[in-house]
Amino acid sequence: MLEIAIGIILGCCALGAGVAMIAGIGPGIGEGNAVAKACEAIGRQPECKGSVTTTMLMGCAVAETTGLYALIIAILLIFVAPNLLVNLLMSVIG
C-alpha cells in the first residue's frame, strides 16, 4: 500500500512538471512574433533601428520570464516536492 502511495506521489510530480513546461510554448511564440514585427519595423524605417531593437530586447526579456518561471516550477516538482511529500506521508502513517 505504501509503495502505491509513493508511486502516485512521484507520478503526479512528474505529470505536474510536464504540464508546467507547456508554458514554454508561449514565450517562444511571443518572442518570435516580436522579432518578426521588429524586423518589419526596421525594414520600413531603418533610421529607428536602435530604438526598435532596444524595445524588442526588453520585451523578449520580459516574455522569457514566463518560461523561466515554468522551468523553476518543473525543477522543484521533480527534485524537491517528491521528497517533501514522501516525508509528509511517512509522518502521517507513523
Side-chain angles (χ1 to χ4, degrees):
M1 183 69 173
L2 182 63
E3 293 83 18
I4 293 173
I6 292 173
I8 290 172
I9 289 172
L10 295 176
C12 288
C13 286
L15 184 65
V19 169
M21 287 312 300
I22 291 175
I25 295 171
I29 293 171
E31 289 173 20
N33 195 14
V35 171
K37 296 298 181 181
C39 288
E40 287 178 15
I42 291 171
R44 286 191 201 116
Q45 294 181 338
E47 64 275 1
C48 294
K49 179 182 177 183
S51 63
V52 170
T53 303
T54 303
T55 305
M56 178 201 61
L57 289 176
M58 283 299 289
C60 286
V62 170
E64 188 64 30
T65 58
T66 306
L68 291 176
Y69 291 148
L71 178 64
I72 290 170
I73 296 293
I75 289 172
L76 288 174
L77 281 171
I78 291 173
F79 294 111
V80 177
N83 188 27
L84 292 174
L85 294 173
V86 168
N87 288 340
L88 179 66
L89 177 68
M90 294 296 192
S91 68
V92 169
I93 289 177

